[in-house]
């Protein structure tokens, strides 16, 4: 009754959407500094400390508060295990430590972790320019995905064909989004730049 053309299923419009299954993630929060904190006490000083919260996990840095500093340099890193999409909101709060009375909230920010995780822009921190597997190297690769997987993910999200790797007389090259990149030349120029 129906021809083969009518029986074919249409291509799914949203076939490249991420899975809706929950996933365990490790969130690293780096807090470098704060600038121009508003003093809330009569003395005009601030004794700031941090509170980081995601889902049911709360980390208070109250014991490490900094004394009389409106431009504190925290230099802190926090790790929180979380489950997405359930615990998608991460909040970072700065409090003023008071010896008498309740501590005052100076300011806060909320970050949508799920949005950053699923962003095609790869909102991550500390990715080195070269893939180095050595554990004790300061330049080691810190991203949870390998460079090839990052490239495949970018192509999928941009609607390009998968990257094609080829070796010819010029060395190894990759074709991405219609552009050809020579990997051996990039590696040699990176090493020359690093050694100079």
């Amino acid at each position: 009754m129906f021809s083969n053309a009518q029986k074919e299923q249409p291509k799914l419009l949203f076939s490249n959407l991420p899975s809706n299954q929950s996933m365990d993630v490790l969130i690293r929060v780096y807090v470098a500094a704060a600038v121009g904190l508003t003093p809330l006490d009569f003395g005009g000083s601030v004794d700031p400390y941090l509170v980081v919260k995601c889902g049911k996990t709360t980390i208070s840095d109250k014991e490490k508060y900094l004394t009389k500093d409106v431009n504190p340099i925290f230099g802190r890193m926090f790790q929180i295990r979380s489950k997405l999409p359930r615990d998608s909101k991460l909040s970072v709060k700065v409090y003023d430590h008071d010896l008498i009375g309740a501590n005052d909230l100076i300011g806060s920010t909320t970050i949508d972790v799920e949005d950053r995780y699923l962003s095609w822009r790869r909102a991550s921190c500390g990715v080195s320019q070269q893939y180095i597997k050595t554990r004790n190297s300061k330049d080691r690769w810190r991203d949870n995905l390998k460079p090839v997987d990052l490239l495949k993910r970018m192509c999928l999200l941009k609607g390009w064909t998968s990257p094609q790797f080829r070796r010819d007389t010029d060395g190894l090259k990759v074709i991405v989004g219609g552009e050809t990149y020579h990997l051996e030349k990039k590696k040699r120029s990176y090493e020359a730049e690093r050694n100079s």
Side-chain angles (χ1 to χ4, degrees):
M1 180 173 232
F2 295 103
S3 68
N4 285 341
Q6 291 172 328
K7 289 181 183 179
E8 287 182 24
Q9 295 293 321
K11 184 179 176 185
L12 295 176
L13 184 59
F14 299 107
S15 61
N16 63 348
L17 289 177
S19 167
N20 62 357
Q21 299 294 319
S22 65
M23 63 181 109
D24 294 320
V25 293
L26 175 66
I27 301 168
R28 285 195 183 112
V29 182
Y30 297 89
V31 182
V35 179
L37 297 179
T38 305
L40 300 174
D41 297 333
F42 291 113
S45 66
V46 178
D47 302 323
Y49 69 91
L50 299 166
V51 175
V52 178
K53 181 178 183 189
C54 187
K56 295 178 180 177
T57 306
T58 302
I59 301 172
S60 176
D61 215 21
K62 187 175 179 179
E63 292 78 32
K64 296 182 180 170
Y65 72 91
L66 304 172
T67 57
K68 298 182 181 179
D69 198 349
V70 293
N71 297 309
I73 298 175
F74 293 108
R76 301 282 293 140
M77 189 270 293
F78 304 95
Q79 289 190 150
I80 298 175
R81 292 215 174 266
S82 181
K83 197 174 218 49
L84 293 179
R86 183 187 68 198
D87 305 327
S88 64
K89 301 295 182 197
L90 171 83
S91 71
V92 180
K93 297 180 180 183
V94 179
Y95 282 92
D96 181 13
H97 181 268
D98 292 328
L99 294 174
I100 301 171
N103 296 329
D104 304 314
L105 176 66
I106 298 171
S108 67
T109 188
T110 302
I111 301 165
D112 187 341
V113 178
E114 184 179 22
D115 183 49
R116 290 182 66 87
Y117 183 78
L118 296 175
S119 169
W120 67 272
R121 297 183 189 276
R122 295 290 302 157
S124 56
C125 179
V127 177
S128 62
Q129 291 181 3
Q130 191 177 16
Y131 184 59
I132 300 172
K133 292 192 274 187
T134 310
R135 285 189 174 267
N136 57 359
S137 172
K138 68 177 179 62
D139 293 326
R140 77 177 184 277
W141 187 261
R142 290 179 170 81
D143 201 286
N144 61 334
L145 295 176
K146 291 183 178 177
V148 170
D149 297 326
L150 287 173
L151 190 58
K152 287 178 182 176
R153 184 173 188 251
M154 183 189 79
C155 290
L156 178 69
L157 291 170
K158 289 193 173 259
W160 297 341
T161 58
S162 272
Q164 299 170 359
F165 294 90
R166 296 199 176 124
R167 184 173 296 278
D168 59 14
T169 56
D170 294 335
L172 185 62
K173 64 182 178 180
V174 62
I175 301 168
V176 178
E179 297 287 328
T180 302
Y181 300 93
H182 296 274
L183 301 179
E184 299 295 325
K185 290 179 184 176
K186 295 278 185 195
K187 184 177 179 181
R188 283 194 295 267
S189 67
Y190 175 77
E191 288 172 353
E193 177 185 307
R194 196 169 170 199
N195 294 330
S196 61

